[in-house]
Structures are given as structure tokens and as C-alpha cells.
Amino acid sequence: MDLTGIHHLTAINADAGRTNRFYTDTLGLRRVKKTVNQDDTSAYHLFFADGAGSPGTDLTFFDWPVAAERRGTRSISRTGLRVAEDSFDYWAGRLRDRGVTAGDIATLDGRATLDFEDPEGQRLRLTADAGGDSHPWEKSPVPAEHQIRGLGPITISVPDLAPTKAMLTHVMNMRERRDYPSPDGAGRVHVFEMGAGGPSAELHVAVQPGLPVARQGAGAVHHVAFRTPDVASIHAWTRRLQEFRVPSSGEVERYYFRSLYFREPGGNLFEIATDGPGFAVDESFETMGEGLSLPPFLEDRRASIEAGLTPID
């Protein structure tokens, strides 16, 4: 029983309009769903992905009016975004032209990378992706050959490797493959892979006991989710967590996928999510993400929910 890769990553922002503009205009992603946080309907939940809204490409945001995060360990510290190997000069120029401060194109863990931050300080890293399927968005301002292909690798920071490694390998069936010096100079990064491996199926664990404990806020990552194919497989993961006595949320119906939440020993929130049914379950594929979508159990509250949201395009 294996996880097959990164499913999505959910971050926190304090300005939904600015986030929407940055990820659709500057980064050229498709907004595939505009909905609300199902546990806090006063907040948008925005989903940005490739042209098809494929599992493994979703970068999502909770819109909460909070202060900026305090960076440190016990956090999901860097979000990888995969691009073609020959796209780095294009992206360096595009980010510069839009006033986005970025680092230099570098080689990290054997792959070309380019680090930068979004307007609220979320730490992002373009990473070379040698292969895999690509589903460009025809309306993107970014040429198809340079568009972001999806998520990965994702980096988390923990103060102690051993308990997190035990969770990843013994419970979640990941494989430890290698390690490398952390590019920020603090600790080493251990690479764990799922499924077929590669950047779309890697979790990088930075061991950084000298850092303070992070405090979530705008610019922070709320959780990272891992892929499992279907409902039968998430039932199996629920049973597995129970067998290992790992506390969890139990299965949660998110309508666009089914989810299971739990924390690893370093304090980071993990989710296992099914690949389907996907974002076209309640909208046409051609127009998904344009209007406000609500799952059926919230539809009777549409008027009051819409009244509490700040309009965005």
C-alpha cells in the first residue's frame, strides 16, 4: 500500500485578491475552484492548478486576516513547483520583470532550482522536472512549454529526524533515499519518496534543531496532502493509522476528494486525499473556478456566505 505522490498543499493568505492575481497572472496557474473553507465559511478557499486541475498540481489557500508567520522549525517550510528543465531563464526574467525578488538559478539535490517568495512571504522553489505528463492551461499568460507542471518536492522542517522518519517509513511506507546540506545553512535535508519517485513524489525533511518553533500566519503552509487513488484505498489508510494508534480526524468528505488528517511527530499537519472525483464534479470543466462553488451541504446558506466574502474576480 503506497502513497503515489503529493496531492495538494494548502497555505494561508491574508489578501485573497492579491493572492488570486499573483498565482493566475504572475505564475500563470489556472484557478480551478473558488469556494470557501468548509470549516470556516467566512474564508475563501482558492485552488490553483494546471489546466486540467490534476491531482498533484493544486496549490490552495485559506483566506484569513492574520499576522505574518514566524518562521522556524516544526513547519512546512518550502513549496516546490515543477517546471521544464529549460524554463529557468524564462522564469528568472518573468519574476524580475514583475518585481518579484528571486535568488539565483542554482543546482540543489542534483536539479536546477530557483527560489522566490509570493507577496505574503510564502517560500516557493521552482524545480526542474525531467518528465511526466503536462496539462497546460490555454488561457495562461505563460507559454505552454514553460507553465508550472505541478507540486514537488515539498520541504518540512523538524527538530529531530528519528520520530518523523519512523512515521514516514513505518506508517506511511515512504523510502529514504539520500540527504544533502540545507541551502539555508541550517542542518541537512533527508529525501523520502513515494510511489514511482521523482520530484512530484518526494518529501524533503530538513533537520533543524537550532531554529525556534514556527508560528503559523499569512505566508505559512497549513498542511500538505498526499495522493491515494480512491475511496477503497483511503479506507485502508484509515485502518492503518488505527493499527499504529496514530490519532486522526477520521475520513472527511470534502466533495472534490475524500480526506484523512493527522500530524507527524514533528508537529506538521498531513492529509491523505483521494484523486477523485475532482473539481468538475459540480461545474463544467471549461468554466470551473470562475464562480463561487459550494458543496451541497452548504448550498442552502449561499446568500449569507456570499454576503460575508469580499468579491474577487
Side-chain angles (χ1 to χ4, degrees):
M1 186 169 67
D2 285 336
L3 301 165
T4 58
I6 306 298
H7 185 282
H8 69 268
L9 178 138
T10 296
I12 300 168
N13 73 272
D15 187 332
R18 182 170 59 176
T19 294
N20 185 70
R21 290 189 297 273
F22 181 80
Y23 286 89
T24 58
D25 182 21
T26 301
L27 296 192
L29 294 169
R30 181 183 183 185
R31 191 180 73 201
V32 295
K33 190 63 59 178
K34 181 171 75 169
T35 185
V36 294
N37 183 324
Q38 294 178 11
D39 303 312
D40 174 12
T41 59
S42 69
Y44 279 114
H45 193 180
L46 303 177
F47 292 73
F48 305 95
D50 69 0
S54 309
T57 72
D58 308 328
L59 182 55
T60 93
F61 289 86
F62 294 149
D63 179 46
W64 286 328
V66 293
E69 73 162 328
R70 181 183 67 197
R71 293 178 178 178
T73 192
R74 300 190 184 277
S75 67
I76 301 167
S77 55
R78 181 72 68 171
T79 301
L81 302 171
R82 295 177 285 111
V83 297
E85 292 181 309
D86 61 357
S87 292
F88 284 84
D89 287 339
Y90 169 84
W91 276 104
R94 183 175 183 82
L95 294 173
R96 181 181 61 249
D97 291 346
R98 281 158 178 74
V100 179
T101 300
D104 296 325
I105 299 170
T107 299
L108 182 66
D109 190 33
R111 302 180 181 119
T113 61
L114 178 62
D115 289 358
F116 64 103
E117 297 181 6
D118 79 0
E120 296 198 56
Q122 185 181 174
R123 289 164 283 178
L124 303 168
R125 172 175 293 147
L126 297 178
T127 299
D129 184 9
D133 294 334
S134 179
H135 301 93
W137 179 34
E138 62 181 13
K139 297 180 182 179
S140 175
V142 175
E145 65 271 23
H146 296 308
Q147 285 183 30
I148 292 168
R149 296 177 171 181
L151 291 168
I154 303 301
T155 303
I156 69 173
S157 175
V158 298
D160 182 8
L161 178 63
T164 295
K165 177 179 176 177
M167 170 71 80
L168 298 180
T169 57
H170 299 321
V171 180
M172 300 175 70
N173 290 334
M174 295 189 192
R175 306 175 296 276
E176 186 177 11
R177 287 305 189 204
R178 58 190 180 275
D179 64 87
Y180 60 91
S182 177
D184 63 10
R188 295 190 68 83
V189 181
H190 298 254
V191 177
F192 294 82
E193 69 177 15
M194 300 157 270
S200 67
E202 288 178 359
L203 183 69
H204 292 203
V205 181
V207 183
Q208 300 174 312
L211 297 184
V213 175
R215 182 189 63 212
Q216 284 196 338
V221 174
H222 187 269
H223 65 268
V224 60
F226 306 100
R227 294 176 63 181
T228 197
D230 50 34
V231 172
S233 61
I234 205 167
H235 290 343
W237 281 109
T238 301
R239 292 191 297 270
R240 186 169 181 83
L241 293 184
Q242 291 170 345
E243 289 167 3
F244 280 88
R245 298 183 179 179
V246 176
S248 80
S249 63
E251 293 177 33
V252 180
E253 181 55 68
R254 294 302 190 194
Y255 193 51
Y256 311 113
F257 41 81
R258 193 168 181 84
S259 297
L260 175 66
Y261 300 87
F262 57 101
R263 289 192 184 274
E264 57 86 20
N268 293 297
L269 183 60
F270 285 174
E271 175 184 352
I272 296 174
T274 58
D275 281 351
F279 298 113
V281 68
D282 61 347
E283 298 181 283
S284 72
F285 177 83
E286 292 74 17
T287 61
M288 64 184 185
E290 295 180 8
L292 179 68
S293 295
L294 297 176
F297 57 87
L298 292 177
E299 190 59 51
D300 62 350
R301 296 171 53 194
R302 175 175 287 273
S304 62
I305 289 172
E306 287 187 320
L309 297 171
T310 300
I312 59 173
D313 295 335

